[in-house]
């Protein structure tokens, strides 16, 4: 049956090739060469009456199982046979008997027989060769077809093929699932062809795209789904998938966590400005960053509600589907190895001021404040002396306490703490994989290792990950397949344990004064250098996850599939902090414990999770004649998870070399945390396509979750989408030379969001372990007041509409995709209606507001090949904005949301400038126009704010929308116009790719000492650019840097009551976060085959690759546009952005 | 198609397995580590654990002021007796309206009302949880008193509000009504709380004694407020100050009865006892302390007090205004300013320490005093830290010592971030009751029994008995802008001396409407002796009396307190926007 269908397709030129590709793949499984030889020899005994030769051959084919290819041109349908008697004859004999008189020649092909007209056979060429993948491994089961000759063949288990070419001049089409179809012109001299299929499939509409619970032809997609080419993620010296994905998908935002570019930094992902997407790895929920980028076959990003609706409430913010590589049946063993090593170095690392300039600036700040100078003349003199002769001591015995070294204000060193603490890091990655398959089973096994050492010079600061992945697929019979997938990933993150907190370590280092001594005259590091504590203490987190998935697929009937899969995920986290006593020296050379590190302690936390999920779903396809294709999928899912954390702390370690709870003798504490949840869902999808021209898809999912109260637990989430392939219409033929393909699609869908904290419907009392109060010798446990609850809490839901247009031009070399979307979030959970504070409790969230997000994603790509030179350009551009459309804020108070608020809005004053003259300052002081901001005296060099509403006072009015006083919206922190540009080219054995990424518009309001430089005396971080502050007095030996009235920064003060007057949110100091960055540049060279084949290699490529090599941004120095606002202790206090220089090697054999 | 029969079987098997596992209550997952309100409140222990949370609301060493807690609280909030490096915004008129926050948080009041709403569910006999009911009454009174101190009139709530309560939008109740309710709560507290002799936890736990003390404090505050603010917008029309003075007196007299466990810390060492009491890490045997907070390094509860009364100053200094309150050793007023014209610097400090009330040299450092004598070596006080800044700064010459113990292992530690001190933090001490008693009685015009009150304090410090002196110098430091009797002057002066640097002055100045003490003036330091600072540059100017004038640049026209506004705080403007029935305080 299947074989007849194949022939039908052969007879009709054109038609969808994906089906034939799929079927020819099946042929390989069912028909092997020895089988055919047997069939040809098999003796036949048959009688035919009143029939045609065509029907005889069709029947013989059925009976022998031998594939016989022929075209209608032979006219066999017209050759009638009254009676044909076959007695103990082989198929070959029979065919010769009936066809020889008709001048039809029989050619033995690789997998069957081909019938051709004798007179056409001018040059009876047999083409042979091999179909290979880009790694040089043979591709079995690839389908080959001659365009004019209408002859087809399939490659064997080694990728070798033979095909008879009836005509000397023809085009050979080679296709295989998942690879781009190749076209090859053949001529009489063609022989021993080696055809390499490329996985780059952006231009083909026949490729299959992984969607929720199945695959779909790209041409038939009606939702907004974007596929990331795995090639773009390869060979990047980045440590995880999220870093590699940045800039590869249009409309997806990536951002760093609060620690910036720390080792192993996982980037947060948001699709279209929403929350983090639901990540499914090979059918199981997982963490994107737990996958080795080398193991990835493809990534599908489901951007609109129609595409992600099948995952219902688990996927309110879109879905990322990762498919890892697999082996395939009958494929020879392919081994791949890749490695790279890299050096990383901070870009734009600021430098600390020299100590003398620093102390003069600090003293000037204190002069401004009319308080005592911070550094005495004696100290300043010592600093000057030390800078002239750095061989002298960096400090003196503390005059008030002569046993100790003087610190802080009395220290006279000259240290660049940025150079002392931050140097270069390094990275290395290896991945080895083995893939292949036999007759009934296939396998893929891989192991990966990733290591990154951070740029901190002291203390541990690194990240290591090991990935082990194995996939096994067994074909038990024609109708039953079974597969097993095991993934193990372990990551280790080590941080210096200073003051118990990595973020604090950064905060401390960034504000250490340059005069602070590094090494005492005795030769020991100072406590304030933070080095002793960094070296003594450490904090390590090991995350381990073992995922096991069993899946099985039945085909009870031809068009009916049933899938059942069961997965278990066992994430395990092991956290250990060793907080050991560190020492610094005293004047007499004795070492004394640094008080903050006493008592030492060890704390451990171990958490186990048991997650399991069951999916049962079934698909039935039905074709009504040739034109109507229906498909129905329905299924059930349940999942549950339970987490159990056990933690403990014990103080006073006896021996630092043996840090354990057993070897500690002090206070002991133990605690646990347990949580569990479950979901259940029923889902269904209906697809209809009319000649692949009109497409319709309906999804629905009924979801239940344990998060909500019993009666609010279930939600129903439908979606509807439709598409129209215009290029399949007859009228398109006139346009098709210019616009090759064009599809319009529209979708609508509703999604729920169950990602809210559990038990918000229950008034709960928190039980806290130890009160900040000692009673009867101990710190008692206590409870706190129950939270206020909202029993009506239910699903937040969103409705998304998406309009998409996909076009290709110029022989499909230019592709264009544009999506325009709107997402309405209803019943939005958010800060509830503002209530008077006398309520005395946090107002529980309510489902009371609405948010509208509108945006568009554009992608444009060009790909061409000129001789040996092939190149491609792809560009992505996207934008969105969110507006609050409903909010219960009748007074329009600005401290919460209000209707019409653009998310990201920054309110602030308009800056007139710095006050330049004493008259201006007098005017402001006399009129008290700025007394709302500060009642302190305003001086020259302070900021003058504009009185926008002309009432003579600069203030916040009622703080409402109708009376905002003199504040207005001065900017918006939402990143706008995010773009990426990827250029790649290859010539012969050389390849290059250049990848730019950036943001078109974004505002930052930065605060704290990293931005302002000056702050309270011990919170000041001065870098050279901060010296551009207002000064109107001459400098002296001990204070001040000389007049600078045309300054950028205002007059500095040391006290919050004073400096806050100049640090109000305002236009003058608003920063632009727009940037363009050369994210990656890669140069590769593939060693010539002739060399490497001698040592048994299929392929070997060496490359160099660089990350963050160049950036253009107008943001103030010391900040990076990607991480400026981050930092647990203030803007910019995160790990510096780094450039990475790597070299690597890919080998396959 | 025969083989497909198996497929059906296998599918059926899977389906049955799948469906059998989807139990009816699959989605029912109750909290595993939290307890719901309905399951709580069953036993006396539940009530105990709930009420404990409020103990951390007392102002103590690590919760208020700078690193020395209560000792620096007055400087941080604003007073004439103590200052920090920068003038307090309370007194310089530089305060600005606030949009949200401040002290207008109502979480504690809500949580204590939750207790009242639920405690009757307790199944244990009442006597098992009576202490906790008493504590709840006490804390409700305390939380409301904090509100009255800050805002005057505030809305009174008897139950936890819900989101749709109409009471959210009610107007403020008059402070008289609120204070009467506070006093009634305190009566309940006195009734239900155990006495110090029996309470489990001793003086680390609230007792009848503590409640009585607090009652006298509240009533004295309200009586003085209504009396001295009478006729202004801050007073309540028709309020009777004497009613509150009487309550204050009665509460204090009750506590002065012998059946209560009270007393004065007196080891017959007049030059040490007063200071030593504040340096103790354990007050459980001290009859004077009615409530205190204990610290213990092995329990990870400690602070940095000792380092800031030895090696550093926490940036806080005592002013000449405080020093002038001290009588000489004979109990007579002392002419500090005349002395300052001739005797300066260290000599001045040494001289006044010799001549005056021993509590003076237990409050501030005098040259050559031992600062620390422990593993950090031995340190003595050379001269005030005038040349230093930040947390080392002293800008008056009067540098705080109160609470220092040279033998304390943490005293003199020059090591940064030292939080290993375990010096106790006194919350209520009996001395205050005696001063409250004397003041309330004097305000009522009744006879004060000094032998049973103030003289107990004087005797500890070796001072003669109380006499209502005519103080020839009182206008220098005690010009309240209105006349008070010599007796009341002396009582207030005694209060300033005994309770110096304990965080009382800020509220005392407000209840006495004492803005005249500071308006247009600047706090002063000691007479500077430039010869002691040759070679060391110090930035201080001196005034006509030769006294350090630390704020001369910051406050050229002196403090600009606004007497028609600054006695009460601004109600956050957002709250007035949200509740239009809420009226703003005067002047804001």
């Amino acid at each position: 049956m299947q074989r007849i269908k194949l022939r039908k397709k052969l007879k009709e030129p054109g038609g969808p090739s994906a089906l034939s590709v799929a079927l020819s793949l099946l042929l390989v499984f069912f028909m092997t060469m020895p089988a055919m030889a047997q069939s040809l020899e098999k003796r036949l005994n048959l009688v035919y009456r009143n029939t045609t030769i065509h029907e005889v051959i069709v029947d013989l084919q059925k009976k022998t199982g031998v594939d016989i290819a022929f075209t209608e041109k032979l006219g066999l349908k017209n050759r009638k046979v009254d009676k044909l008697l076959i007695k103990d004859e082989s198929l070959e004999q029979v065919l010769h008997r009936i066809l020889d008189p008709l001048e039809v020649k029989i050619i033995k092909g690789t997998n069957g027989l081909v019938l051709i007209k004798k007179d056409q056979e001018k040059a009876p060429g047999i083409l042979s060769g091999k179909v290979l993948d880009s790694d040089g491994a043979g591709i079995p089961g690839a389908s080959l077809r001659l365009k004019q000759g209408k002859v087809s063949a399939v490659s064997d288990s080694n990728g070798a093929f033979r095909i008879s070419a009836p005509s000397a001049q023809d085009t050979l089409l080679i296709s295989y699932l998942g690879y781009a179809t190749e076209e090859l012109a053949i001529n009489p001299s063609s022989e021993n062809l080696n055809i390499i299929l490329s996985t780059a499939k952006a231009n083909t509409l026949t490729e299959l795209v992984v969607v929720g619970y199945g695959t779909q032809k790209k041409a038939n997609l009606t939702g907004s789904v974007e596929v990331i080419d795995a090639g773009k993620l390869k060979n990047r010296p980045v440590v995880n998938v999220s870093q590699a994905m940045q800039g590869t998908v249009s409309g997806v935002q990536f951002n760093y966590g609060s620690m910036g570019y720390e080792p192993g930094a996982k980037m947060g992902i948001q699709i279209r400005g929403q929350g983090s997407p639901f990540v499914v790895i090979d059918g199981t929920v997982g963490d994107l960053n737990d996958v080795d980028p080398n193991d990835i076959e493809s990534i599908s990003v489901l951007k609109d509600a129609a595409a992600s609706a099948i995952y219902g409430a688990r996927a309110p913010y879109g879905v990322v589907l990762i498919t890892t590589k697999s082996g395939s049946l009958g494929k020879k063993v392919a081994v791949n190895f890749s490695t790279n090593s890299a050096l990383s170095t901070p870009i734009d690392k600021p430098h600390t001021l020299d100590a003398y300039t620093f102390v003069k600036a600090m003293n000037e700040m204190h002069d401004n404040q009319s308080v005592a100078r911070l550094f005495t003349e004696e100290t300043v003199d010592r600093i000057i002396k030390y800078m002239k002769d750095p061989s002298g001591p960096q400090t003196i015995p503390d005059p008030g306490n002569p046993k100790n070294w003087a610190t802080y204000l009395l220290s006279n060193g000259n240290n660049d703490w940025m150079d002392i603490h931050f140097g270069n890091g390094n990275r290395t990655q290896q991945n080895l994989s083995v893939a292949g398959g036999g007759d009934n089973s296939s396998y893929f096994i891989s192991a990966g290792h990733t290591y990154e050492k951070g740029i901190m010079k002291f203390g541990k600061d690194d990240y290591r990950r090991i990935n082990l992945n194995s996939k096994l697929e067994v074909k038990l019979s024609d109708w039953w397949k079974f597969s097993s997938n095991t993934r193990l990933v372990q990551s280790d993150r080590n941080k210096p344990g200073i003051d118990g907190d990595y973020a604090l370590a950064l905060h401390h280092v960034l504000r250490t004064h340059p005069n602070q001594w590094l090494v005492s005259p005795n030769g020991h590091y100072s406590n304030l250098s933070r080095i002793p504590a960094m070296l003594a203490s450490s904090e390590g987190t090991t995350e381990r996850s073992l995922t096991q998935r069993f899946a099985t697929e039945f085909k009870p009937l031809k068009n009916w599939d049933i899938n059942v899969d069961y997965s278990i995920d066992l994430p395990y986290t092991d956290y250990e902090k060793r907080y050991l006593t560190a020492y610094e020296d005293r004047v007499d050379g004795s070492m004394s414990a640094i008080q903050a590190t006493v008592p030492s302690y060890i704390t451990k936390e171990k958490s186990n999770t048991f997650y399991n999920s069951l999916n049962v779903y079934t698909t039935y396809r039905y074709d009504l004649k040739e034109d109507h294709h229906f498909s129905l999928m329905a299924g059930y899912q349940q999942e549950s998870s339970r987490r159990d954390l056990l933690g403990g702390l014990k103080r006073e370690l006896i021996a630092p070399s043996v840090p354990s709870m057993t070897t500690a003798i002090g206070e002991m504490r133990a605690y646990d945390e347990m949580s569990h949840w479950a979901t259940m869902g029923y889902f269904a999808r209906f697809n209809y396509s009319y000649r692949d021209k009109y497409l319709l898809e309906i999804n629905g999912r009924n979801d239940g979750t344990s998060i909500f109260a019993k009666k609010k637990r279930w939600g129903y989430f439908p979606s509807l989408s439709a598409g129209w392939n215009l290029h399949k219409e007859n009228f398109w033929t006139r346009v098709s030379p210019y616009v090759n393909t064009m599809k319009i699609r529209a979708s609508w869908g509703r999604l729920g969001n169950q990602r809210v904290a559990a038990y918000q419907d229950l008034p709960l009392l928190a039980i806290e372990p130890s009160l900040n109060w000692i009673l009867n010798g101990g710190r008692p446990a206590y409870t706190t007041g129950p939270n206020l609850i909202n029993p009506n809490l239910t699903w937040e839901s969103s409705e998304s509409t998406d309009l998409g247009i996909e076009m290709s031009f110029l022989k499909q070399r230019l592709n264009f995709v544009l999506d325009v979307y709107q997402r309405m979030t209803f019943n939005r959970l958010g800060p509830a209606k503002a209530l008077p504070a006398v309520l005395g409790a946090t107002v529980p969230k309510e489902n009371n507001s609405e948010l509208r997000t509108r945006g568009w994603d554009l992608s444009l790509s060009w790909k061409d090949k000129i001789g040996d030179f092939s190149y491609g350009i792809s560009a992505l551009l996207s934008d969105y904005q969110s507006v609050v459309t409903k909010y219960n804020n009748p007074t329009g108070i600005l401290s919460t949301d209000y209707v019409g608020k653009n998310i990201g809005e920054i309110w602030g004053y308009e800056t007139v400038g710095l006050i330049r003259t004493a008259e201006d300052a007098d005017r402001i002081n006399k009129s008290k126009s700025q007394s709302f901001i500060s009642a302190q005296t305003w001086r020259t060099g302070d900021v003058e704010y504009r009185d926008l509403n002309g009432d003579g006072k600069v203030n916040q009015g009622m703080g409402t929308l109708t009376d905002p006083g003199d504040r207005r919206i001065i900017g918006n922190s939402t990143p706008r116009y995010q773009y990426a540009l990827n250029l790649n080219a290859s010539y012969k054995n050389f390849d290059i790719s250049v990848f730019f990424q950036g943001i078109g518009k974004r505002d930052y309001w930065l605060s704290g000492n990293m931005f302002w430089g000056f702050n309270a005396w011990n919170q000041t971080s001065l870098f050279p650019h901060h010296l551009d502050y207002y000064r109107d007095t001459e400098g002296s030996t001990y204070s001040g840097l000389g007049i600078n009235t045309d300054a950028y920064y205002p007059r500095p003060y040391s006290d919050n009551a004073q400096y806050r007057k100049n640090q109000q949110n305002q236009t003058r100091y608003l920063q632009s976060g727009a940037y363009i960055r050369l994210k990656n540049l890669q140069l590769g060279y593939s060693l010539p085959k002739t060399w490497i084949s001698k040592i048994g290699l299929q392929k070997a490529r060496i490359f160099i690759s660089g990350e963050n090599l160049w950036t253009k941004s107008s943001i103030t120095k010391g900040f990076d546009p990607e991480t400026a606002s981050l930092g647990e202790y203030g803007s910019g206090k995160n790990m510096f952005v780094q450039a990475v220089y790597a070299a690597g090697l890919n080998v396959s054999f | 198609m025969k083989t497909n029969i198996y497929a059906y079987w296998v599918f059926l098997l899977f389906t049955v397995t799948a469906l059998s596992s989807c139990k009816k209550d699959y989605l029912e997952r109750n909290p595993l580590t939290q307890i719901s309100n309905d399951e709580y409140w069953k036993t006396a222990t539940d009530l105990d654990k709930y009420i404990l949370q409020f103990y951390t609301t007392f102002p103590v060493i690590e919760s208020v002021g700078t690193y020395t807690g209560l000792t620096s609280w007055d400087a941080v909030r604003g007073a004439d007796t103590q200052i920090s490096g920068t003038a307090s915004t309370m007194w310089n008129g530089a305060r600005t309206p606030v949009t949200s926050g401040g002290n207008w948080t109502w979480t504690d009041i809500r949580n204590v009302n939750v207790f009242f709403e639920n405690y009757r569910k307790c199944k244990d006999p009442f006597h098992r949880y009576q202490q906790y009911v008493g504590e709840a009454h006490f804390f409700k009174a305390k939380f409301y008193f904090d509100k009255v101190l800050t805002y005057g009139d505030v809305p009174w709530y008897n139950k936890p509000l819900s989101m749709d309560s109409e009471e959210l939008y009610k107007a403020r109740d008059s402070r008289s009504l609120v204070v009467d309710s506070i006093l009634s709560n305190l009566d309940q507290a006195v009734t239900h709380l155990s006495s110090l002799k029996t309470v489990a936890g001793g003086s680390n736990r609230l007792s009848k004694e503590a409640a009585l003390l607090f009652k006298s404090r509240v009533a004295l505050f309200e009586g003085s407020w209504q009396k001295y603010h009478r006729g202004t917008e801050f007073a309540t029309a028709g309020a009777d100050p004497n009613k509150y003075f009487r309550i204050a007196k009665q509460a204090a007299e009750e506590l002065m009865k012998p059946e209560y466990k009270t007393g004065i810390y007196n080891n017959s060492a007049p030059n040490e006892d007063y200071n030593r009491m504040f340096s103790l890490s354990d007050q459980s045997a001290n009859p004077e302390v009615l409530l205190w907070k204990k610290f213990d390094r092995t329990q990870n509860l400690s602070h940095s007090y000792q380092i800031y009364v030895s090696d550093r100053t926490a940036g806080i200094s005592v002013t000449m205004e405080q020093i002038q309150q001290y009588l000489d050793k004979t109990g007579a007023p002392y002419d500090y300013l005349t002395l300052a014209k001739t005797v300066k610097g260290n000599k001045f400090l040494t001289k006044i320490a010799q001549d005056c009330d021993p509590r003076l040299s237990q409050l501030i450092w005098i040259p050559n005093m031992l600062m620390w004598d422990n593993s950090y070596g031995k340190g003595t006080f050379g001269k005030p830290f005038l040349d230093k800044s930040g947390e080392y700064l002293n800008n008056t010459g009067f540098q705080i010592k109160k609470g220092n113990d040279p033998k304390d292992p943490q005293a003199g530690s020059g090591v940064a971030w030292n939080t290993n001190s375990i010096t106790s933090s006194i919350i209520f001490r009996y001395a205050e009751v005696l001063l409250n008693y004397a003041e309330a009685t004097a305000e009522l015009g009744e006879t004060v029994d000094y032998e049973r009150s103030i003289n107990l304090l004087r005797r500890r410090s070796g001072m003669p008995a109380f006499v209502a002196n005519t103080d020839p110098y009182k206008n220098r430091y005690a010009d309240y802008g209105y006349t008070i009797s010599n007796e009341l002057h002396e009582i207030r002066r005694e209060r300033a001396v005994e309770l110096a640097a304990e965080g009382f002055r800020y509220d005392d100045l407000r209840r006495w409407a004492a803005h005249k003490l500071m308006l247009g003036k600047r706090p002063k330091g000691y007479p500077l002796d430039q010869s002691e600072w040759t070679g060391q540059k110090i930035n201080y100017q001196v005034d006509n009396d030769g006294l350090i004038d630390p704020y001369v640049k910051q406050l050229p026209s002196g403090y600009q307190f606004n007497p028609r506004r600054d006695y009460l705080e601004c109600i956050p403007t957002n709250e007035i926007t949200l509740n239009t029935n809420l009226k703003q305080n005067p002047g804001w």
Side-chain angles (χ1 to χ4, degrees), chain A residues 233 236-241 243 262-265 289-295 338-342 426-432 447-453 462-468 488-494 1140:
Chain A
L233 309 178
R236 294 268 306 274
V238 293
V239 292
N240 57 37
V241 176
Q243 289 180 12
E262 65 171 324
N289 295 303
D290 280 353
V291 185
D292 189 316
N294 290 297
D295 288 350
S338 68
T339 177
N340 74 66
S341 290
N426 61 65
R427 302 174 179 192
T428 167
Q429 283 171 300
Q430 292 86 29
N431 178 279
L432 178 71
H449 170 245
T450 300
Y451 175 78
E452 177 179 358
K453 158 139 184 16
D462 64 1
Y463 171 81
R464 186 188 298 280
R465 190 185 63 235
I466 291 167
N467 289 81
L468 298 174
L488 176 72
V489 55
Q490 169 161 329
S491 67
D492 295 284
R493 174 78 173 98
N494 289 305
V1140 184

Side-chain angles (χ1 to χ4, degrees), chain A residues 1115-1133:
Chain A
I1115 200 161
T1116 190
K1117 276 182 196 155
F1119 288 87
D1120 185 90
E1122 280 198 83
T1123 60
S1125 61
L1126 304 174
E1128 285 170 26
Y1129 290 86
S1131 310
K1133 290 183 189 173

Side-chain angles (χ1 to χ4, degrees), chain A residues 401 556 595 676 772 779 788, chain B residues 4 30 110 299 301 412 420:
Chain A
N401 200 343
Q595 291 298 317
H676 57 175
N772 191 1
R779 293 175 63 174
L788 209 55
Chain B
N4 288 358
N30 291 323
R110 176 192 180 77
Q299 306 271 356
L301 199 58
N420 288 344

Side-chain angles (χ1 to χ4, degrees), chain A residues 883-905:
Chain A
V883 181
V884 178
T885 49
K886 187 178 157 199
Y887 204 88
N888 200 350
N889 178 7
T891 51
I893 205 154
L894 294 174
S895 53
T896 73
D897 286 355
Y898 57 85
V899 174
K901 177 178 178 170
N902 272 303
I903 300 299
E905 260 171 29

Side-chain angles (χ1 to χ4, degrees), chain A residues 183-476:
Chain A
E183 289 192 18
L184 192 70
I186 55 161
N187 53 52
S189 61
S190 297
E191 55 179 14
N192 258 341
L193 302 164
N194 268 340
I195 302 155
I196 295 169
L197 292 186
S198 132
T199 43
K201 45 193 174 178
N203 285 349
T204 59
L205 289 169
T206 52
E207 73 174 274
L208 286 176
V209 172
V210 178
V211 294
Y213 298 102
T215 55
Q216 175 73 279
K217 264 193 283 179
K218 184 157 188 174
N220 289 354
L221 281 175
T222 50
S224 179
V225 178
E226 198 160 334
V227 177
I228 301 172
D229 176 9
K232 280 187 182 172
L233 309 178
K234 278 168 86 174
N235 300 327
R236 294 268 306 274
V238 293
V239 292
N240 57 37
V241 176
S242 58
Q243 289 180 12
M245 270 174 77
Q246 189 185 18
T248 57
V249 214
S250 184
V252 180
Q253 294 84 44
F254 292 80
N255 31 51
Y256 278 92
S258 63
M259 280 302 99
Y261 275 61
E262 65 171 324
K266 294 178 178 179
M267 293 188 87
I269 302 181
Q270 294 177 309
I271 296 177
R272 294 179 167 175
Q274 307 296 329
S276 57
F278 186 54
V279 177
V280 179
I281 304 163
D282 288 338
T284 311
V285 182
D287 181 350
L288 189 68
N289 295 303
D290 280 353
V291 185
D292 189 316
N294 290 297
D295 288 350
I296 293 179
E297 172 79 42
S298 78
I299 300 179
S300 294
V301 180
L302 278 46
K303 296 196 285 190
D304 69 353
S308 52
I310 202 73
Y311 291 106
R314 291 302 306 278
Y317 309 124
V319 182
V320 174
L321 296 175
I322 295 184
T323 309
T324 61
K325 288 176 184 163
S326 306
S328 31
L329 289 177
K331 187 168 170 178
K332 214 176 70 179
V333 181
V335 181
N336 281 288
F337 175 72
S338 68
T339 177
N340 74 66
S341 290
L343 176 82
S344 54
T345 179
I347 55 178
D348 289 336
K349 179 175 79 174
H351 288 276
T352 317
L353 285 181
D354 72 80
Y356 182 48
T357 311
F358 176 82
V359 295
K360 281 198 294 182
M362 291 297 277
N363 277 351
E364 185 161 35
M365 168 166 82
H366 285 71
D367 289 351
N368 282 331
Q369 186 91 23
S370 300
V371 293
R373 283 182 181 170
L374 202 58
F375 295 95
T376 61
E377 295 184 0
E378 187 269 333
T379 310
V380 179
D381 288 338
R382 265 191 289 121
I383 288 169
I384 297 170
K385 188 176 158 217
Y386 175 79
M387 285 174 65
K388 276 186 190 144
D389 175 17
S391 64
Q394 297 186 14
T395 188
I396 52 164
D398 186 348
N401 200 343
K403 283 194 165 186
N404 291 334
W405 296 113
T407 56
Y408 291 121
L409 310 174
L410 297 174
S411 190
N412 61 276
N414 179 33
N415 293 303
D416 184 342
W417 295 101
M418 301 299 112
D419 272 355
I420 287 168
H421 281 284
F422 303 106
N424 294 333
N426 61 65
R427 302 174 179 192
T428 167
Q429 283 171 300
Q430 292 86 29
N431 178 279
L432 178 71
S433 71
V434 182
D439 290 348
N440 294 320
S441 63
S442 65
Y443 56 88
F444 176 83
I445 299 164
S446 80
H449 170 245
T450 300
Y451 175 78
E452 177 179 358
K453 158 139 184 16
I455 56 170
M456 289 189 88
K457 286 187 184 168
F458 296 95
K460 284 182 185 166
D461 186 27
D462 64 1
Y463 171 81
R464 186 188 298 280
R465 190 185 63 235
I466 291 167
N467 289 81
L468 298 174
N469 186 11
S470 72
K471 272 171 116 174
L472 184 69
E473 196 167 294
V474 186
K475 213 181 91 184
L476 299 175

Side-chain angles (χ1 to χ4, degrees), chain B residues 560-577:
Chain B
Q560 299 300 308
F561 185 81
N562 180 350
R564 303 203 55 192
R565 181 191 71 178
D566 290 336
Y567 276 114
L568 291 174
E569 297 282 327
C570 169
I571 290 178
T573 55
N574 280 353
E575 294 298 321
I576 290 169
T577 309

